[in-house]
Amino acid sequence: MKQIQFITNPCSHFTLREEVEMALRGGCMWVQLRMKDATDEEAEKAALDIQALCKEYHATFIIDDRVELVKKIQADGVHLGKNDMPVSEARKILGEAFIIGGTANTIDDIRNLARQKVDYIGCGPFRYTTTKKNISPLIGLDGYRRLMKQMHDEYIEVPVVAIGGITYDDIADIMQTGVDGIAISGAVINAENPEEEMKRMIEF
């Protein structure tokens, strides 16, 4: 599990390729391509482009939601939101060789994903974020501490990645709650120097 994950987000000042390139140059080793509103053709074109970039940097390449595309282009894996295909169904399509991540907001979500043998859990949101629609209740530091303790008490051993409005100043406190990693998007894209901000986050 790479400690810092970068998730693409369409913006006015960079293309998705530029976003990913800056994140990779900054040392990020895990990229998730998220294109919720794109057509299948647009998504495949972008995915092939970004997959090539990730291979160049030896980074893990995950695609949000699009299980069939992951299989078609042999990406490293897929991330499934709460309203996407169930993990168990995606596993039947992809098999064991692909990474499958799932989204959680509560301990019940986590239990459900663990039962389906998910490879990692994106847990959030930490705070309000504009990069995602239909946001779930905020978790905050106390929420992560509580969830990590519940997982420990129930012997649930799945890597947890905190997500949602996280900035550089939050990283130390969030990591102290026991999570395994952090996913970021806007904090890098909107930084004065995205590449340097990514570097700073990785080296915190």
Side-chain angles (χ1 to χ4, degrees):
M1 175 57 54
K2 310 295 191 297
Q3 198 171 47
I4 301 278
Q5 301 184 3
F6 176 73
I7 301 176
T8 66
N9 185 55
C11 70
S12 57
H13 45 297
F14 298 117
T15 64
L16 293 183
R17 180 189 172 88
E18 287 170 339
E19 288 181 16
V20 171
E21 204 158 15
M22 289 184 294
L24 292 169
R25 284 203 309 261
C28 182
M29 295 300 291
W30 182 297
V31 170
Q32 182 191 139
L33 175 64
R34 187 159 69 190
M35 297 178 73
K36 284 293 187 192
D37 301 322
T39 65
D40 289 346
E41 189 180 353
E42 289 167 340
E44 183 172 343
K45 186 180 176 190
L48 287 167
D49 190 25
I50 288 167
Q51 182 181 38
L53 262 180
C54 288
K55 281 182 177 173
E56 192 182 322
Y57 284 84
H58 307 289
T60 300
F61 177 51
I62 302 292
I63 299 175
D64 178 66
D65 184 14
R66 299 170 188 266
V67 175
E68 297 294 348
L69 179 58
V70 168
K71 187 174 184 181
K72 182 178 180 180
I73 71 167
Q74 295 288 292
D76 294 306
V78 68
H79 184 87
L80 299 167
K82 291 173 83 168
N83 298 316
D84 296 336
M85 182 187 289
V87 169
S88 53
E89 195 178 326
R91 186 65 76 194
K92 284 177 192 168
I93 294 167
L94 295 175
E96 297 299 323
F98 292 81
I99 298 165
I100 300 180
T103 298
N105 178 250
T106 66
I107 189 63
D108 284 339
D109 293 337
I110 290 170
R111 290 178 186 128
N112 180 43
L113 290 169
R115 276 194 297 271
Q116 294 182 73
K117 297 191 166 31
V118 79
D119 292 302
Y120 75 92
I121 293 170
C123 187
F126 170 63
R127 67 160 62 88
Y128 177 74
T129 171
T130 57
T131 61
K132 195 160 186 190
K133 298 171 186 172
N134 306 318
I135 196 166
S136 298
L138 303 185
I139 292 178
L141 291 172
D142 287 343
Y144 284 122
R145 285 190 200 100
R146 186 177 64 253
L147 290 170
M148 296 311 295
K149 183 180 186 308
Q150 287 174 294
M151 287 179 71
H152 177 267
D153 291 347
E154 296 179 29
Y155 304 99
I156 299 173
E157 296 182 355
V158 182
V160 171
V161 178
I163 184 170
I166 296 168
T167 67
Y168 174 83
D169 292 335
D170 301 316
I171 294 176
D173 288 339
I174 293 175
M175 292 305 295
Q176 283 175 4
T177 67
V179 301
D180 301 275
I182 284 169
I184 47 90
S185 184
V188 166
I189 298 166
N190 298 318
E192 195 171 320
N193 186 325
E195 186 179 332
E196 287 303 315
E197 186 65 6
M198 177 59 81
K199 227 175 254 185
R200 195 166 78 110
M201 286 183 157
I202 286 169
E203 295 168 357
F204 84 98

